[in-house]
Amino acid sequence: MRIGMALKYSGGFKESVAELADYEKAGLDIVFVAEAYSFDAVSQMGYIAAKTERVQIASGILPIYSRTPTLLAMTAAGLDYVSDGRFTLGIGASGPQVIEGFHGVPYTAPLARTREVIEICRQVWRRERVQYEGRHYTVPLPAGQGTGLGKPLKIINHPVRPRIPIVVAAIGPKNVELTAELAEGWEPIFYVPEKAADVWGPALAAGKARRDPELGELDVIAQASLAIGDDVAGLLEFGRPMAALYIGGMGARGKNFYNDLARRYGYEKEAELIQDLYLAGKKDEAAAQVPAELLEKMSLIGSEGYVRDRVQAMKESGVTTLNVTPIAGTHEERLRLIEKIKEFAA
């Protein structure tokens, strides 16, 4: 089991990267860099590549709507080159609030677009002349849609690898099924190992039935806050505002993927109430309604024995990469948490 960590994307970035070298020495395997509506993730990942030697670098995630498929492929190939083959392309659909609200692009057909993006990216990395006719992307652009001067091109440089790993952030059944079929890795959110098989098992099985054996086993990347000790239970409360934001505020009523996930976990009444409160502007009251059990089960916060047991539960449910957020007062304490979880995972 690999150990990963997300790098914060708002403020103090250079300082975070300076500390990343210490995490690398402590055994961190992979670092994830988000792209929301802050600075772009690509420039930051290039900076990380220059400041580290061993740790894998992943976008977590690049939205599929804000770049063309070929630009995503070029970007991934460039990052893989400057990192000496350490890059993983994490992609996802994001949501309509960001895509339409910040990028001004219609949020349409996320599932079909994801498939087409993956297929085009792999054409680019194989240095084929890119020719693709999909429902949403046509390369080259036909004469009826442009000047008629477009011609099939292949990437000039030779990518370090002909197939850069792709991770897809997915929680809906159809998107999870597509991910299990086409991608090297899958990144769900709010992962609860005891409920994973019921919620995602059928979709994963359907996708894996069509999976190319050359892709290898699906890398399952679970996120979890991390704190170890006999007096850390109170740190679970730090997860409430984010859980309320996603379950209550990420999307409109009837169009919130995270609210749907909470309902599929069995928290139907709580999910409805959190959304009602959040959309009414009562964010603190919404956070207070996030089930304590959900916060506990999707975290690695507790005594050493408890965290060991939770890591084992993650493993048994199929998790192969733990993407942790170490919670402690000092850099040295956070380093010790990475060393400890690395030991547990081994």
Side-chain angles (χ1 to χ4, degrees), residues 87 96 125-126 255:
F87 180 66
W125 299 331
R126 292 192 299 264
K255 190 79 171 180

Side-chain angles (χ1 to χ4, degrees), residues 59-280:
S59 52
I61 55 155
L62 295 182
I64 60 171
Y65 291 93
S66 54
R67 297 169 176 86
T68 65
T70 42
L71 179 56
L72 277 169
M74 293 163 60
T75 298
L79 286 167
D80 207 42
Y81 173 73
V82 298
S83 66
D84 295 320
R86 291 186 285 140
F87 180 66
T88 293
L89 176 61
I91 59 174
S94 185
Q97 285 180 314
V98 173
I99 299 307
E100 296 186 356
F102 194 65
H103 294 289
V105 176
Y107 189 85
T108 58
L111 193 67
R113 288 181 185 274
T114 300
R115 177 180 291 276
E116 293 184 18
V117 165
I118 292 172
E119 291 173 349
I120 293 170
C121 280
R122 288 179 175 154
Q123 276 194 29
V124 173
W125 299 331
R126 292 192 299 264
R127 296 198 75 238
E128 298 174 2
R129 294 191 183 277
V130 180
Q131 293 180 280
Y132 192 88
E133 293 187 16
R135 291 183 59 192
H136 305 284
Y137 301 104
T138 302
V139 186
L141 198 64
Q145 297 180 34
T147 64
L149 299 177
K151 63 179 183 179
L153 299 172
K154 65 181 178 181
I155 190 170
I156 295 171
N157 304 78
H158 288 256
V160 175
R161 292 178 289 177
R163 198 186 76 227
I164 295 167
I166 294 175
V167 167
V168 179
I171 53 177
K174 289 296 182 182
N175 207 2
V176 170
E177 182 177 333
L178 178 143
T179 300
E181 176 191 352
L182 291 181
E184 279 84 0
W186 166 50
E187 186 175 9
I189 194 171
F190 301 153
Y191 187 89
V192 175
E194 290 82 0
K195 296 179 182 289
D198 290 337
V199 171
W200 289 306
L204 288 170
K208 288 178 180 179
R210 298 189 299 274
R211 186 177 181 82
D212 186 338
E214 288 190 8
L215 290 173
E217 291 297 317
L218 183 69
D219 182 20
V220 179
I221 303 165
Q223 305 170 24
S225 298
L226 171 65
I228 301 173
D230 295 325
D231 58 349
V232 298
L235 296 177
L236 285 167
E237 295 300 307
F238 285 114
R240 283 189 182 279
M242 190 193 81
L245 166 64
Y246 277 75
I247 296 171
M250 282 289 193
R253 204 179 302 276
K255 190 79 171 180
N256 182 322
F257 312 123
Y258 312 100
N259 191 278
D260 292 343
L261 176 60
R263 292 169 185 268
R264 285 156 55 203
Y265 273 163
Y267 303 113
E268 292 91 349
K269 292 181 180 179
E270 294 90 340
E272 182 177 0
L273 180 56
I274 291 166
Q275 188 174 60
D276 287 344
L277 291 168
Y278 206 96
L279 294 180

Side-chain angles (χ1 to χ4, degrees), residues 1-6 20 23-24 26-32 54-57 219-222 224 226 300 307 311 314-315 319-326 334-346:
M1 180 184 280
R2 296 188 303 173
I3 300 301
M5 186 178 74
L20 185 57
Y23 288 112
E24 187 177 40
L28 188 73
D29 296 299
I30 184 168
V31 61
F32 295 85
R54 180 193 59 81
V55 70
Q56 300 286 308
I57 303 164
D219 182 20
V220 179
I221 303 165
L226 171 65
L300 296 170
V307 173
V311 170
M314 291 278 193
K315 278 187 177 181
V319 172
T320 49
T321 298
L322 270 178
N323 184 13
V324 300
T325 301
R334 290 189 288 273
L335 281 176
R336 285 196 288 273
L337 284 173
I338 293 297
E339 291 172 341
K340 187 67 73 173
I341 200 68
K342 182 75 175 177
E343 173 194 330
F344 292 174

